[in-house]
């Protein structure tokens, strides 16, 4: 393990040398070297999630620095969620239609980066209301597209998704700590400079990667029409629909954590630096779970990992509700590996197992759009208003109870899905 980590770190150093010291190399030689290195998706995950860590956790802090109230922040985040709800399935369908995740990922990342670097120059609140959802429209699809791209690139290689995604958690945690510290010792807008640098490196890495060969490529190599995509077939799947609906409620309750953790940290005596540390602890806690995710999926099945994640989510929300200092909030963040890490490892494989070959990317982006987008639309507005009226601790207390109910409902849905599957097999046997 240590040898593999050292090799990946040495690869990263080589990338920086290629980018910063291009003299003596031709462009074609540079790309060839990058392709050899970037053939390992670990580095792409590292820089992709480093870019996320440099920007995403600080959106609320950015809005607070622009003197925007909690209720208005909730409204802005609601529009971000609407953009996610529209953008994620749209970009997923486009990637399946043109049969290229790489091209869509590059386009979305490039446009999102171009818009994000404008934020330091914007002070008008109405422009911020427009710009942030527009950024989110392109930004939202990057994670599910990268997940789908990785899974199908490493299929039949004997490697697990978790061993790649854990590098994303490392990249995220490193950058969120760096930016949290930079804000306290420098000025806030420096985070956008850091984001721009990381994003440029990530775009170069992505451009160097080869497109994977799809499972169904030999059957149907031409681009698919919308009719051929047949999204209704996906939505009529009981297992898929039940998972998406209940996951939406889970993310609705967790909206208060993702969107208003900075508010909680400051309320209990913390600052931006502690907020960065809390996010880093959260991301680092995912690493051991993702490292053994392949073994967990084989031994316990994806749906049981999802169940574990849902249960631990309810515990986390209860701990936030009794926080009297930043220490309890940070401890609750350390449970992110057992909640989100388990949920992520299980959901990626679970969704992929339910989706037909021609809808693999669409299945990931539609699911993420609904439970991250639709839940955000409701969750951000409700949480923002409840915090203004009842206080943030009451929001976490209510969320903990709701989340425990979701855990029970998903358990019941798994039992019902077994009954439905058993009935279908009996009917098919009778027909044959």
């Amino acid at each position: 393990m240590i040898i593999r980590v050292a090799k990946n770190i040495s690869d990263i150093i080589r990338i920086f040398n290629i980018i910063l010291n291009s003299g003596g190399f031709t462009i074609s030689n540079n790309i060839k070297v990058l392709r050899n290195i970037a053939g390992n998706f670990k580095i792409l995950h590292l820089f992709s999630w480093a870019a996320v860590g440099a920007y995403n956790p600080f959106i609320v802090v950015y809005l607070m620095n622009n003197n925007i109230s909690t209720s208005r922040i909730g409204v802005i985040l609601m529009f971000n969620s609407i953009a996610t709800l529209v953008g994620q399935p749209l970009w997923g369908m486009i990637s399946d239609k043109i049969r290229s995740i790489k091209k869509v990922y590059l386009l979305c990342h490039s446009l999102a980066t171009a818009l994000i670097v404008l934020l330091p120059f914007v002070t008008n609140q109405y422009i911020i209301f427009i710009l942030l959802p527009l950024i989110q429209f392109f930004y939202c699809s990057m994670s599910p597209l990268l997940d789908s791209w990785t899974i199908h690139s490493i299929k039949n290689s004997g490697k697990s998704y978790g061993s790649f995604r854990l590098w994303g958690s490392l990249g995220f945690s490193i950058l969120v700590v760096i930016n949290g510290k930079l804000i306290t010792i420098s000025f806030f807008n420096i985070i956008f400079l850091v984001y721009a640098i990381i994003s440029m490196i990530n775009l170069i890495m992505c451009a160097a990667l080869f497109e994977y060969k799809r499972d169904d490529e030999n059957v149907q190599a031409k681009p698919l029409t919308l009719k051929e995509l047949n999204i209704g077939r996906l939505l009529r799947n009981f297992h898929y629909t039940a998972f998406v609906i209940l996951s939406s409620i889970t993310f609705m309750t967790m909206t208060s954590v993702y969107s208003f953790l900075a508010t909680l940290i400051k309320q209990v005596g913390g600052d931006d630096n502690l907020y960065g540390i809390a996010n880093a602890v959260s991301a680092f806690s995912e690493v051991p779970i993702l490292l053994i995710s392949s073994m967990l999926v084989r031994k316990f099945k994806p749906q049981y990992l999802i169940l574990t994640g849902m249960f631990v989510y309810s515990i986390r929300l209860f701990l936030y509700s009794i926080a009297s200092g930043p220490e309890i909030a940070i401890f609750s963040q350390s449970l992110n590996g057992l909640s989100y890490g388990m949920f992520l490892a299980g959901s990626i494989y679970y969704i992929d197992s339910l989706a037909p070959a021609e809808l693999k990317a669409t299945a990931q982006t539609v699911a993420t759009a609904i439970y991250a987008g639709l839940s955000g639309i409701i969750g951000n507005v409700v949480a923002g208003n409840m915090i203004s009226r009842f206080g943030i601790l009451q929001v976490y207390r209510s969320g903990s109870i709701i989340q425990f109910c979701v855990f029970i409902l998903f358990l019941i849905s798994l039992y019902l899905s077994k009954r439905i599957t058993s009935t279908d097999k009996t009917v098919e046997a009778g027909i044959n």
Side-chain angles (χ1 to χ4, degrees):
M1 176 64 185
I2 295 174
I3 295 173
R4 289 201 302 269
V5 170
K7 181 181 182 301
N8 282 284
I9 292 174
S10 68
D11 287 344
I12 294 167
I13 294 171
R14 288 177 65 196
I15 291 167
F16 276 108
N17 286 334
I18 292 169
I19 294 169
L20 298 176
N21 303 302
S22 58
F25 288 90
T26 65
I27 292 176
S28 61
N29 284 337
N30 281 347
I31 294 297
K32 185 176 180 180
V33 173
L34 283 170
R35 276 180 172 164
N36 290 336
I37 297 170
N40 190 331
F41 271 78
K42 294 173 185 175
I43 300 173
L44 183 61
H45 274 273
L46 179 74
F47 283 105
S48 293
W49 283 97
V52 173
Y55 167 72
N56 208 51
F58 299 97
I59 295 174
V60 172
V61 182
Y62 167 76
L63 295 172
M64 292 168 65
N65 281 0
N66 280 275
N67 300 314
I68 299 176
S69 67
T70 303
S71 57
R72 287 193 175 186
I73 289 174
V75 173
I76 292 173
L77 296 178
M78 178 196 74
F79 281 107
N80 274 11
S81 298
I82 292 173
T84 298
L85 186 63
V86 175
Q88 280 192 344
L90 175 64
W91 295 117
M93 286 188 286
I94 289 173
S95 69
D96 279 330
K97 179 176 171 55
I98 68 172
R99 309 178 77 76
S100 174
I101 292 178
K102 174 181 175 178
K103 291 175 183 177
V104 177
Y105 181 90
L106 276 169
L107 174 66
C108 290
H109 197 355
S110 299
L111 292 174
T113 300
L115 292 171
I116 286 172
V117 296
L118 296 177
L119 287 175
F121 308 103
V122 178
T123 55
N124 186 291
Q125 290 190 7
Y126 294 104
I127 297 177
I128 292 172
F129 266 69
I130 296 170
L131 190 56
L132 283 177
L134 185 59
I135 290 169
Q136 187 66 16
F137 178 73
F138 299 110
Y139 182 83
C140 65
S141 64
M142 289 162 48
S143 173
L145 286 174
L146 181 58
D147 288 338
S148 185
W149 191 3
T150 303
I151 285 175
H152 296 287
S153 295
I154 65 174
K155 190 170 282 187
N156 302 322
S157 68
K159 298 177 181 178
S160 70
Y161 163 80
S163 66
F164 291 81
R165 177 59 176 78
L166 70 85
W167 284 90
S169 297
L170 289 172
F172 180 95
S173 57
I174 291 168
L175 260 295
V176 79
V177 168
I178 290 174
N179 272 359
K181 192 67 177 176
L182 285 174
I183 290 172
T184 58
I185 65 175
S186 184
F187 57 98
F188 181 83
N189 286 341
I190 196 171
I191 69 169
F192 298 111
L193 175 61
V194 175
Y195 173 84
I197 294 170
I198 296 298
S199 291
M200 288 305 298
I201 296 171
N202 186 55
L203 285 168
I204 293 170
M205 292 293 303
C206 181
L209 279 170
F210 289 108
E211 193 82 72
Y212 74 88
K213 184 179 177 65
R214 297 178 58 119
D215 294 340
D216 58 333
E217 197 169 79
N218 293 327
V219 178
Q220 193 173 19
K222 68 180 190 304
L224 297 172
T225 64
L226 287 175
K227 185 177 180 180
E228 289 169 330
L229 283 173
N230 193 12
I231 300 170
R233 176 184 171 193
L234 187 65
L235 298 177
R236 287 191 296 269
N237 185 313
F238 173 83
H239 308 71
Y240 182 83
T241 303
F243 166 74
V244 169
I245 291 172
L246 293 173
S247 295
S248 296
I249 303 173
T250 292
F251 274 74
M252 214 175 292
T253 62
M254 292 304 295
T255 294
S256 51
V257 178
Y258 299 136
S259 300
F260 298 102
L261 180 62
T263 304
L264 175 66
I265 294 288
K266 290 185 177 181
Q267 181 175 309
V268 296
D271 56 16
D272 289 331
N273 186 39
L274 275 175
Y275 173 62
I277 291 171
N279 278 286
V281 168
S282 173
F284 269 122
S285 71
E286 297 172 7
V287 173
I289 299 299
L290 293 171
L291 191 61
I292 61 172
S293 62
S294 179
M295 181 270 289
L296 291 173
V297 169
R298 287 196 304 268
K299 191 169 183 179
F300 299 108
K301 296 183 179 180
Q303 50 268 46
Y304 297 123
L305 301 189
I306 295 169
L307 270 173
T308 302
M310 287 179 169
F311 179 72
V312 178
Y313 266 137
S314 68
I315 296 174
R316 284 183 65 191
L317 286 162
F318 173 75
L319 290 174
Y320 289 122
S321 74
I322 61 172
S324 56
E327 298 83 10
I328 296 178
I330 291 174
F331 173 73
S332 184
Q333 287 288 91
S334 71
L335 298 177
N336 189 54
L338 290 173
S339 54
Y340 179 68
M342 284 286 198
F343 180 90
L344 176 66
S347 63
I348 293 296
Y349 286 106
Y350 189 55
I351 292 170
D352 189 71
S353 70
L354 298 175
E358 71 275 12
L359 289 172
K360 295 295 187 183
T362 300
Q364 297 287 351
T365 52
V366 166
T368 310
I370 295 174
Y371 61 67
L374 182 61
S375 62
I377 294 171
I378 302 169
N380 281 309
V381 173
V382 172
N385 281 288
M386 283 188 68
I387 289 170
S388 298
R389 293 185 180 186
F390 308 110
I392 195 166
L393 298 182
Q394 181 59 44
V395 173
Y396 288 125
R397 197 170 296 116
S398 302
S400 177
I401 297 169
I402 294 170
Q403 182 51 40
F404 183 75
C405 293
V406 169
F407 163 74
I408 298 298
L409 287 173
F410 188 61
L411 192 61
I412 294 171
S413 78
L414 292 178
Y415 172 75
L416 291 176
S417 67
K418 287 180 181 179
R419 291 286 299 272
I420 290 170
T421 303
S422 176
T423 302
D424 288 344
K425 287 181 178 178
T426 303
V427 171
E428 287 178 8
I431 293 173
N432 294 328

